[in-house]
Amino acid sequence: MVAVSDGQRSEQAPAGARTPVGRPLLSLALTALMDDVHAHSGALYLRTPDEPVLEIAVTAGLPRAFAAPWQRVGLNAPIPVAEAARERRLVWVGGEQEMARRYPRISVILPYPFALAALPVATASTVYGALYVTWPGSHPGHLSDYERTHLTAACDRLALRLERAAEESRPLSAEPELLTPSAAGGAADVLGTMEAARMVARLPYGLCSLDLNGRIGFANAATADLLDVPVSELLGTHLWAAVPWLNDPVYEDRYRAALLSQHPTSFVALRPPGTWLSFRLYPSTSGLSVRISRARAVAEMNRAGPRPGDAPSRLVTLSQMLSLAGALTEAAGVQDVVQLVADELAPAVGSRALVLLGARAGRLRVLGHRGYPDAHTVERFDGIPLTAPVPGAHTLHTGVPAFFESREELEHLYPLRRTTPDGFAAWAYLPLIASGRPVGTCVLAYAEPHPFPADERAVLTSLGGLIAQALERALRYDAKHQLAHGLQDALLPRSLPSVAGIEAAARYLPATQGMEIGGDFYDLVDARPLAAAVIGDVQGHNVTAAGLMGQIRTAVRAFTAVGQAPEEVMGSTNRMLIDLGSDLFASCLYLRLDPERGRAVMSRAGHPPPLLRRPDGRVRVLDLAGGPLLGIDASATYATTEVDLGPGCLLALYTDGLIESPGVDIEDALAELGSRLSLVGDQPLDEVADDLVRNYAAAEDRIDDVALLLLRANGRPPTDGP
């Protein structure tokens, strides 16, 4: 841990008060911040070195188990603390409804009324982590100026201390959770006097107290009678653990709801064989007081209680299952599924490594893995027959889970594994069955021998069902994605031809939405002694648009080859598109290039105007004559414009995705593109192309395709030859 030794005073601390030397920095900083803004609970996350991951370092006010599903989260996770670190800003969630709307994955697990603020812990140059604090549901729906100022100032001070700790190479590590000491230690501690304790003992209803972790600190005689459990067996235990028929996540959920919202809650439970009891929970920042009595008007409740002998899973396990289910709905490809299982499931069940296996053409395929120091350990199983005597293939083939508590147990059934050690000591092989058929196997590996009791096997098998559904979707997505990219690659030119007197470079970037395939296209045709260039955009981002794009590009090449003039090429292509009966339209810009004369004749069909950069760096937008989009009017004509293209002139042809984005004026975007072209236009053409698309290429969410074709006249005369 990092010890505080700088002696700086907090702004709210009394004069002369100093941070004690040797005390944990993180714990003190979090609790001081919570005291300043009267927050109820909080947690501080630190950035994992060399990974885009945040991990809880210390919690305060509530048990760490409340945040178990988010013990370790990626910076891109859709939760407030990750968003605060990612965007380096304060994130405020004013209540239950806002949480459900903005962060449904959290709301599913913690559907209680509370307010939350998350802030980055960062200097101007480095993000060290983030923290969040919560208030009960009674907090106003907005953050006050006082709270905002003190939260921000405290995070800034902590970031500076973390920066100093890093400079001094003082390691940071997780610190114990900070819970207010329970006031319930015994009758005298809780009630103050023996006479008061005698009074409580005479009450006809049960009274008991729970600390923040849910452990019983005091219980009167009526509690023991109503629960049918001696007081001696209740003290120091969790209520739901000491009383078997209360071992239900629904009841434990009420305890969590009371602590997080700081509002009284209640529930009714059936004590076998037929007695209904009412539980009323009164929370405070130090724990809960519970009033237990016989329930009245139970018939009106019409509620089914847990059946005797049931042994439901712990609530934290249920929370993690809900979190994993929510996360898997967001997975697109197979690698997304692998990463989510590694982030969400493996830490929850104590696994240190995992592998996802699939099958293709009767052979085992390694779809992805995490946690293995040597990738070859896993990848050597890729391609072996499904009939091979290895547990991964056997589980996938049979659909039956397998659990091995030790290496000896695994090697006894599969002797081949003696020759393929992976450094782990226990394994769970979960069949991934979706739509009634096995789609893969999930292998969880453990560093130490690990027993798998019946309830854990049931939970893991259930989780395998969630993973299977996500994997099935991901496999279909990846197959469509590969098909789309293969089609796109086939329809666009693999390389641009060498045209005498013209230097060319092109770039194509697909949209990130849908199948990442679209109708943007470009081409350069060497039709000596002249040359032709074309760029266009077919409406849509799907296979239909891509197929139509390929037909238009082929048609333009054919009409160019037979010697049609630019206006004739455009007119013929327009009529062809209409004859195809497609409902899609296309924009297009066609150029006939004459490098020897230094001229270009252009015709435009509703396409964005090209940019022309002169050798002196001046850039202007070419206002070309033209006609309507292709595919609208069979009788449309397309006028032409002749442009000077002397040595050193550079033409930039592009599709609208490069200059259109939400909230940005198209004229401003076009001016910005021209400015960049002016600045970098003297560089090698490939560098110019990369610079013009750099911002768009770096964007995570591209709503449209982009095609860019650059043509620079280099003044070389055409040469004879084939």
Side-chain angles (χ1 to χ4, degrees), residues 420-443:
T420 58
D422 57 15
F424 292 95
W427 299 264
Y429 287 80
L430 309 176
L432 306 181
I433 299 174
S435 304
R437 65 182 185 86
V439 296
T441 299
C442 177
V443 185

Side-chain angles (χ1 to χ4, degrees), residues 175-506:
E175 299 175 8
E177 63 185 5
L178 302 174
L179 300 179
T180 303
S182 172
D189 294 330
V190 176
L191 303 172
T193 67
M194 291 303 298
E195 183 57 34
R198 295 190 188 98
M199 179 190 71
V200 171
R202 292 193 293 266
L203 292 175
Y205 49 81
L207 282 179
C208 64
S209 65
L210 310 181
D211 65 14
L212 290 174
N213 280 311
R215 289 185 294 265
I216 302 171
F218 168 79
N220 66 355
T223 297
D225 292 340
L226 289 168
L227 300 181
D228 198 22
V229 178
V231 170
S232 60
E233 295 181 16
L234 292 172
L235 296 180
T237 67
H238 292 94
L239 184 61
W240 43 88
V243 184
W245 45 271
L246 286 178
N247 189 15
D248 188 317
V250 172
Y251 304 146
E252 188 181 347
D253 177 65
R254 297 292 80 204
Y255 142 79
R256 291 159 59 92
L259 283 183
L260 197 54
S261 68
Q262 290 292 290
H263 289 170
T265 62
S266 61
F267 62 88
V268 176
L270 175 65
R271 188 191 73 187
T275 302
W276 288 91
L277 298 179
S278 172
F279 293 78
R280 183 75 174 170
L281 285 65
Y282 300 91
S284 75
T285 56
S286 61
L288 292 165
S289 296
V290 183
R291 183 183 187 273
I292 308 171
S293 61
R294 294 183 182 273
R296 293 176 293 178
V298 172
E300 298 176 6
M301 302 286 183
N302 193 23
R303 182 185 183 281
R307 294 169 298 182
D310 282 356
S313 303
R314 307 297 307 135
L315 183 61
V316 170
T317 301
L318 178 62
S319 299
Q320 289 157 344
M321 289 181 70
L322 290 171
S323 180
L324 177 63
L328 288 174
T329 61
E330 302 168 7
V334 170
Q335 293 309 309
D336 293 337
V337 176
V338 175
Q339 192 61 51
L340 283 168
V341 173
D343 291 343
E344 301 273 351
L345 172 60
V349 299
S351 170
R352 298 293 298 274
L354 70 94
V355 186
L356 280 189
L357 302 172
R360 187 167 62 248
R363 293 186 176 274
L364 197 66
R365 296 298 175 190
V366 176
L367 303 178
H369 56 86
R370 297 290 186 275
Y372 287 86
D374 182 5
H376 179 68
T377 302
V378 177
E379 292 167 358
R380 61 190 168 191
F381 290 100
D382 190 73
I384 68 173
L386 288 179
T387 55
V390 294
H394 185 261
T395 298
L396 195 154
H397 180 68
T398 63
V400 178
F403 301 92
F404 303 97
E405 300 183 1
S406 65
R407 169 167 292 280
E408 292 75 19
E409 187 175 336
L410 175 68
E411 293 176 351
H412 175 71
L413 292 176
Y414 296 95
L416 181 62
R417 285 302 306 270
R418 297 192 184 112
T419 62
T420 58
D422 57 15
F424 292 95
W427 299 264
Y429 287 80
L430 309 176
L432 306 181
I433 299 174
S435 304
R437 65 182 185 86
V439 296
T441 299
C442 177
V443 185
L444 299 174
Y446 296 78
E448 304 293 337
H450 183 86
F452 294 96
D455 57 346
E456 184 174 349
R457 296 186 182 206
V459 169
L460 290 175
T461 303
S462 298
L463 288 170
L466 294 177
I467 300 168
Q469 296 176 34
L471 180 60
E472 184 183 42
R473 291 193 305 269
L475 289 169
R476 287 200 299 263
Y477 175 87
D478 283 352
K480 291 179 180 179
H481 193 267
Q482 292 171 5
L483 174 63
H485 274 268
L487 177 60
Q488 189 87 63
D489 291 342
L491 294 176
L492 290 173
R494 291 183 177 274
S495 62
L496 296 176
S498 177
V499 176
I502 296 292
E503 183 184 358

